[in-house]
Amino acid sequence: DAKTTQPPSMDCAEGRAANLPCNHSTISGNEYVYWYRQIHSQGPQYIIHGLKNNETNEMASLIITEDRKSSTLILPHATLRDTAVYYCIVRAPIIQGAQKLVFGQGTRLTINP
Amino acid sequence: DGGITQSPKYLFRKEGQNVTLSCEQNLNHDAMYWYRQDPGQGLRLIYYSQIVNDFQKGDIAEGYSVSREKKESFPLTVTSAQKNPTAFYLCASSIVTGMYNEQFFGPGTRLTVL
């Protein structure tokens, strides 16, 4: 699975959009980009995933560059409850079997009042 | 109310003792996973199981053992052979069909070895 690079920490003002970057320059054609987040002392929570098109759900939007070497997770209106560590994970799909995930150190996002 | 439960939330043990961490899920998931997290670090995979009575080592299996006798349960034993067992342990589950299935995580158990 391709490695990812994320900034160790970011700050964002409450109510503003939080844009979290992720570099995955060695991504392969069939590998998806996944985002999870982990609020302090809790288990990680799935946010969104994508292959090459931009994706949006009730939690966030995922923008993947045309060359797929980087992506950005967007939290459109950040709240204090969005303070967490955000993990960008790249992996190939498995049609049948366990979905092993490789977590890096992620980005610690702090939302400030 | 479906989900994954881990117990206890905090666990203290003396050095040299084996300890078993509980993980139960009622999501009807076939696959279950154990991760370890050290302060300021990401998660590392200890063991995983794709089906009852079957499990595979992850990246850091030494000093740990698991069993999968029931679909709902995947207990992790931290043995005395684990040199640095103090950590936050997370259990997860997922389905095994389909190409991009999310993992659902439990609340974690924080183990401290004194």
Side-chain angles (χ1 to χ4, degrees):
Chain A
D1 295 333
K3 291 186 177 179
T4 62
T5 303
Q6 298 177 253
S9 63
M10 293 182 64
D11 285 88
C12 180
E14 187 178 18
R16 305 297 292 267
N19 299 297
L20 292 92
C22 179
N23 286 322
H24 31 78
S25 58
T26 60
I27 191 170
S28 299
N30 67 337
E31 289 182 315
Y32 282 74
V33 180
Y34 294 81
W35 283 85
Y36 280 73
R37 75 178 183 183
Q38 185 178 23
I39 295 171
H40 183 62
S41 294
Q42 297 183 22
Q45 175 192 24
Y46 164 84
I47 302 173
I48 199 167
H49 73 272
L51 181 62
K52 55 183 178 181
N53 297 321
N54 297 339
E55 302 288 343
T56 296
N57 63 19
E58 65 278 5
M59 290 183 68
S61 294
L62 174 61
I63 309 298
I64 302 174
T65 58
E66 192 169 343
D67 63 7
R68 301 207 328 118
K69 293 186 177 182
S70 66
S71 60
T72 301
L73 178 74
I74 300 172
L75 308 178
H77 304 288
T79 70
L80 299 178
R81 287 177 291 182
D82 291 321
T83 292
V85 177
Y86 287 77
Y87 297 100
C88 171
I89 300 167
V90 172
R91 64 152 302 133
I94 295 177
I95 296 175
Q96 178 81 26
Q99 308 283 326
K100 292 184 289 181
L101 298 175
V102 178
F103 288 81
Q105 294 188 344
T107 295
R108 183 173 299 279
L109 175 67
T110 302
I111 307 301
N112 299 308
Chain B
D1 205 14
I4 301 177
T5 57
Q6 292 185 245
S7 60
K9 188 170 180 63
Y10 298 95
L11 189 56
F12 297 88
R13 281 293 182 270
K14 291 182 179 179
E15 193 172 348
Q17 289 182 334
N18 291 355
V19 60
T20 297
L21 281 59
S22 166
C23 178
E24 304 279 332
Q25 55 99 359
N26 61 4
L27 300 169
N28 200 33
H29 287 168
D30 284 304
M32 297 186 75
Y33 315 77
W34 274 106
Y35 294 88
R36 170 187 172 131
Q37 186 174 34
D38 293 287
Q41 304 297 314
L43 284 66
R44 292 183 291 168
L45 183 64
I46 304 173
Y47 268 99
Y48 66 99
S49 167
Q50 298 184 97
I51 197 169
V52 174
N53 293 322
D54 182 66
F55 47 83
Q56 283 80 42
K57 294 181 179 180
D59 301 319
I60 54 164
E62 185 175 352
Y64 299 98
S65 65
V66 294
S67 63
R68 187 83 187 278
E69 297 177 1
K70 298 186 299 181
K71 188 175 184 178
E72 302 80 17
S73 178
F74 191 41
L76 173 74
T77 297
V78 184
T79 75
S80 57
Q82 169 50 234
K83 296 177 182 176
N84 186 18
T86 295
F88 188 46
Y89 290 88
L90 288 154
C91 179
S93 71
S94 74
I95 62 175
V96 295
T97 54
M99 293 194 296
Y100 34 76
N101 301 306
E102 65 181 279
Q103 288 189 18
F104 293 81
F105 285 82
T109 292
R110 192 167 298 278
L111 173 65
T112 301
V113 175
L114 305 171

